[in-house]
Amino acid sequence: MIESWRWYGDLDKISLSEISQTGAGSIVTALHEIPYGEVWPTQTIAARKSRIEAAGFDWTVVESLPIHESIKRGEGDLSPLFANYRQSMANLASQGIKTICYNFMPLLDWTRTDLAAPVAGGGTCLRFDAVKMCAFELHMLGRQDAAHDYPPDVLVKAGDWYQTSSESERSALLAAIMAGIPGAFERYDIAGLRGALLAYEGVGRDEIRANVKRFLNEVGPAAEDLGLRLAVHPDDPPRDILGLPRIVSDAEDLRWLFSAFDSPANGLTLCSGSLGANPENDVPALAEEFADRIYFAHLRNVAKEADGSFEEAAHLEGDTDMVALIRVLLAEQEHRKYAGHEDHLIPFRPDHGHVLLSDHSRELVSGYPLIGRLRGLAELRGVIRGVAGS
């Protein structure tokens, strides 16, 4: 497997020289500075690639080439946006970058309620707390339909949390939920989020499915012609958020997605943390079912709770059997190798990580510390070497 590391370019306080000391040989990045829907210029892609290669890395995966919200809503004349996306794909392919991770989550990317939940030994992790999320939706945002999305005990606890919380705690909750929006873009306040949600009124699960199918039919043939692989990232968390439907959360969703545009260009970013947050998902079994569509892997772990809460565990702890999952990925690599695929190796990265040691004293992108991810990479590297040699 190809050891990679997510890097946010000039938005990242972790330098390429520091990343080189982790042992990773590949960089996963994107042009986060370019607004959604605009073309990624070839010259800008080439400059980023040259910078990465000068530091001794390959640039193997784009994460992400974002999809404009109008496409997700199916709103207006989308021809220019689809044309821009195809052009960005062509520009990436011209520079030898052939794997594009993307997601179709409406409005928000990954969603957490706590960016620094304590873990044993003094570190911190990302956490999704169902009680806090319910309090945010129902009492801060005023989304009354949220009462139907949570069990009665969570509703009661959410009311208690809201009544006893301070303004600073509520502000921290809003900031945590907004932290999942990638890139250098303004986060919403409560009023702004309400306005953004209004634009999704009347857009349900069927509409989102129709819109992702349209997206794939618009850009998929170009991906085939360019030799590109589109790798959808699962919903994080794999449940509806803010009343917005999530459509890449389980095996049934993936079966539907791959049938909507049945092509090897239509693939999966296997994120064990996102899929693992759904109690119904057996992540190694999902990986085995969709092995031939896995073009990129995010390896991390979660510890789930009965009320729908979860927190990010250490990479070899939590609820997902990481050894079993890696066995599936290595077996798929061998299958591709014997089938004659030159690019049979699956790139992966240690996804997220606990904030540990000197991570606490530096500015970091939420979820992407240096030491915590280094620990995760070292652990995963050991499992991969052990399984491969067994």
Side-chain angles (χ1 to χ4, degrees):
M1 297 179 73
I2 299 173
E3 296 181 2
S4 63
W5 189 276
R6 190 172 192 181
W7 180 60
Y8 285 86
D10 290 332
L11 303 176
D12 204 324
K13 301 302 181 183
I14 297 173
S15 68
L16 289 172
S17 62
E18 287 177 300
I19 297 170
S20 68
Q21 297 175 59
T22 70
S26 175
I27 290 295
V28 173
T29 192
L31 304 183
H32 295 288
E33 301 84 355
I34 297 179
Y36 292 8
E38 294 187 9
V39 173
W40 286 16
T42 302
Q43 185 175 9
T44 308
I45 296 167
R48 176 65 61 87
K49 183 183 179 186
S50 294
R51 184 177 172 189
I52 289 168
E53 291 179 341
F57 298 97
D58 296 321
W59 182 6
T60 52
V61 179
V62 170
E63 185 179 353
S64 298
L65 181 57
I67 298 171
H68 195 277
E69 290 297 312
S70 293
I71 293 176
K72 295 177 184 179
R73 292 192 298 263
E75 172 185 84
D77 179 11
L78 299 177
S79 299
L81 290 174
F82 288 129
N84 286 356
Y85 204 94
R86 288 190 293 266
Q87 187 60 58
S88 294
M89 288 165 48
N91 294 348
L92 286 164
S94 74
Q95 297 303 305
I97 302 162
K98 296 298 183 72
T99 302
I100 296 174
C101 174
Y102 74 97
N103 77 71
F104 218 82
M105 289 180 264
L107 200 60
L108 297 182
D109 203 320
W110 59 267
T111 304
R112 300 291 185 273
T113 59
D114 299 86
L115 301 180
V119 296
T124 65
C125 71
L126 301 180
R127 175 176 171 81
F128 179 88
D129 189 290
V131 170
K132 288 185 179 181
M133 193 68 206
C134 179
F136 177 80
E137 293 202 56
L138 193 57
H139 300 291
M140 292 175 61
L141 194 61
R143 193 179 76 81
Q144 296 306 308
D145 285 346
H148 303 298
D149 296 341
Y150 296 90
D153 60 325
V154 171
L155 292 171
V156 171
K157 291 176 182 177
D160 292 342
W161 183 90
Y162 182 74
Q163 291 299 325
T164 59
S165 62
S166 65
E167 282 300 320
S168 63
E169 288 173 322
R170 295 174 191 173
S171 295
L173 177 56
L174 173 64
I177 292 169
M178 291 298 104
I181 300 177
F185 302 106
E186 185 176 351
R187 274 53 175 158
Y188 298 111
D189 57 15
I190 292 292
L193 183 55
R194 287 177 182 144
L197 287 171
L198 282 175
Y200 272 93
E201 280 196 346
V203 180
R205 180 177 176 83
D206 290 343
E207 286 76 19
I208 295 288
R209 273 192 164 186
N211 294 340
V212 73
K213 183 174 183 177
R214 180 181 177 187
F215 166 76
L216 289 169
N217 282 305
E218 287 279 356
V219 307
E224 291 175 332
D225 292 342
L226 294 164
L228 287 170
R229 294 166 295 200
L230 299 170
V232 68
H233 188 286
D235 302 323
D236 189 10
R239 53 165 292 166
D240 292 357
I241 294 289
L242 304 176
L244 301 174
R246 299 292 182 95
I247 62 161
V248 191
S249 293
D250 56 24
E252 190 277 330
D253 287 342
L254 291 170
R255 292 182 197 116
W256 179 88
L257 186 78
F258 296 141
S259 67
F261 183 75
D262 189 5
S263 165
N266 183 18
L268 172 65
T269 295
L270 190 284
C271 180
S272 59
S274 299
L275 292 168
N278 184 340
E280 303 301 317
N281 287 340
D282 179 333
V283 179
L286 281 173
E288 191 163 14
E289 178 175 353
F290 303 108
D292 64 334
R293 297 296 183 103
I294 297 172
Y295 299 137
F296 182 35
H298 291 176
L299 300 182
R300 61 179 171 86
N301 224 319
V302 295
K304 298 185 287 293
E305 299 167 26
D307 67 356
S309 303
F310 63 88
E311 67 180 35
E312 300 194 358
H315 288 74
L316 301 188
E317 299 172 12
D319 300 331
T320 294
D321 186 340
M322 194 62 68
V323 176
L325 175 59
I326 287 171
R327 286 189 190 280
V328 173
L329 297 176
L330 291 176
E332 174 60 20
Q333 282 194 163
E334 286 300 299
H335 176 77
R336 295 177 190 183
K337 178 180 178 181
Y338 288 115
H341 297 294
E342 291 184 6
D343 55 349
H344 63 279
L345 296 177
I346 298 172
F348 80 95
R349 63 176 179 84
D351 193 20
H352 298 180
H354 290 174
V355 174
L356 303 173
L357 303 172
S358 60
D359 289 333
H360 290 285
S361 63
R362 64 186 301 175
E363 185 180 350
L364 299 164
V365 176
S366 296
Y368 292 91
L370 177 60
I371 305 300
R373 281 188 289 167
L374 173 58
R375 173 188 169 181
L377 177 59
E379 291 177 341
L380 294 167
R381 179 184 294 141
V383 171
I384 292 166
R385 297 281 180 89
V387 171
S390 62

